[in-house]
Amino acid sequence: MNQLFPIYIKLDQIETLLVGAGPVGLEKIQAIISNSPHANVMVVAEDVCVEFYEFVKNKENIKVHKRPFTAVDLFAKQIVVLATNNPKLNNYVRELCSNHHILLNVADKPSLCDFYLGSVVQKGNLKIGISTNGKSPTIAKRLKEFLNELLPEEIDETLHLMADLRNQLSGDLKEKITVLNAHTEQLIKQNEYDRAN
């Protein structure tokens, strides 16, 4: 059973450390920045691939340090992502993060992770995270493709309209929720009718 608790983190308000800047590190930084363009990320890596440098070029919120990891790199960090194929380093950083209560993700090592970077479906303000509890990233990727095709392009416009409606409603929270639930139920029924015809 998947017991992961899904949360959405404002990475522009905290400090993230990425260790490793090869192809896997590139994949991780792309995932971070595509979801949170203003994320504050410090990157530490002995080797940095050309594609990594190209991706982070002109992104002032990403600082790259070409050198080995040291324990001092964890200072003031809330999240650490490891993209190395060095088991000894991974275990060392795991221990440090545990001791300092820092959340850790280790590429391709679910047993060392506090959290996973799941597949994400995004259309405007709508963002859906997909987790297979670390069992099958491939299935998560296929579900992402399916949901991307399934969700209507107008979904972001609908979200803006719902936000306007919510802001115009008066009454207590319970009354507002009742009105919003009724309205969204109508929207779903209309969408189902449109698809059938």
Side-chain angles (χ1 to χ4, degrees):
M1 188 169 107
N2 191 332
Q3 298 186 40
L4 297 173
F5 183 74
I7 61 172
Y8 291 88
I9 302 172
K10 297 178 179 180
L11 290 182
D12 60 329
Q13 296 183 16
I14 65 172
E15 299 293 326
T16 300
L17 172 67
L18 171 62
V19 181
V24 177
L26 175 61
E27 186 180 300
K28 297 297 184 184
I29 196 71
Q30 288 171 333
I32 291 168
I33 297 304
S34 69
N35 281 286
S36 187
H38 303 292
N40 301 306
V41 184
M42 181 174 121
V43 181
V44 175
E46 294 186 60
D47 298 305
V48 182
C49 69
V50 174
E51 295 83 359
F52 195 100
Y53 275 128
E54 282 296 314
F55 182 77
V56 302
K57 185 171 60 177
N58 300 324
K59 291 180 175 67
E60 295 181 10
N61 50 314
I62 303 173
K63 309 292 184 209
V64 179
H65 302 273
K66 193 172 184 294
R67 57 169 175 75
F69 167 85
T70 67
V72 177
D73 293 326
L74 295 179
F75 178 74
K77 303 300 183 295
Q78 287 81 39
I79 289 180
V80 175
V81 177
L82 291 182
T84 79
N85 59 357
N86 183 335
K88 187 175 179 181
L89 176 61
N90 291 347
N91 288 318
Y92 173 58
V93 176
R94 164 77 270 171
E95 186 177 342
L96 289 173
C97 286
S98 292
N99 291 341
H100 293 90
H101 311 292
I102 300 169
L103 294 176
L104 175 68
N105 173 271
V106 183
D108 203 33
K109 295 286 180 269
S111 62
L112 297 179
C113 294
D114 295 313
F115 68 96
Y116 303 133
L117 303 179
S119 287
V120 176
V121 177
Q122 183 166 2
K123 290 205 175 181
N125 285 285
L126 178 67
K127 187 174 282 190
I128 302 170
I130 302 169
S131 167
T132 61
N133 204 18
K135 302 296 183 198
S136 178
T138 305
I139 292 289
K141 182 180 177 184
R142 295 293 169 248
L143 284 170
K144 173 183 176 177
E145 293 166 357
F146 172 74
L147 289 171
N148 263 324
E149 290 179 18
L150 183 68
L151 291 167
E153 293 301 323
E154 305 81 24
I155 192 71
D156 202 46
E157 183 181 340
T158 303
L159 291 174
H160 284 290
L161 292 171
M162 288 301 296
D164 290 343
L165 175 61
R166 185 185 67 194
N167 292 333
Q168 292 168 14
L169 291 174
S170 57
D172 64 19
L173 181 61
K174 186 177 179 181
E175 291 170 330
K176 289 180 180 180
I177 290 172
T178 300
V179 172
L180 291 171
N181 282 341
H183 192 71
T184 53
E185 185 178 356
Q186 289 173 349
L187 286 173
I188 290 169
K189 284 180 180 176
Q190 181 63 46
N191 188 32
E192 288 172 350
Y193 175 81
D194 291 345
R195 284 179 181 274
N197 295 304

